[in-house]
Amino acid sequence: MASSAAVPFWRAAGMTYITYSNICANLVRKCLKEPFKAESMNREKVHFSLSKWADGKPQKPVLRSDAPEV
């Protein structure tokens, strides 16, 4: 029996909700006027540290950033 329930368009397009919401957030950020655009771009930056493990002990952490290059 086929379901007559509506499928969200992002699911029908083969996306996850996270992918869809990230695309929408990027579009909104790009449409903002200054100074709001600069503020929102600064909030988008993410910094984190990554530690490799050897012999059951963490090695020296490496700081990383996924901020887009401007």
Side-chain angles (χ1 to χ4, degrees):
M1 181 172 190
S3 174
S4 61
V7 176
F9 65 90
W10 49 267
R11 178 70 67 198
M15 288 190 264
T16 64
Y17 182 75
I18 297 296
T19 304
Y20 165 72
S21 64
N22 284 337
I23 290 170
C24 292
N26 286 332
L27 288 171
V28 169
R29 284 186 205 105
K30 289 178 183 180
C31 293
L32 293 172
K33 294 181 180 180
E34 293 297 338
F36 305 110
K37 186 174 187 176
E39 291 176 17
S40 69
M41 292 306 225
N42 285 335
R43 280 189 297 236
E44 184 180 6
K45 296 177 185 174
V46 176
H47 304 284
F48 59 96
S49 66
L50 179 67
S51 296
K52 292 190 177 188
W53 287 70
D55 299 322
K57 297 181 181 177
Q59 303 298 311
K60 184 177 179 182
V62 178
L63 295 178
R64 301 275 176 121
S65 176
D66 74 343
E69 298 298 322
V70 179

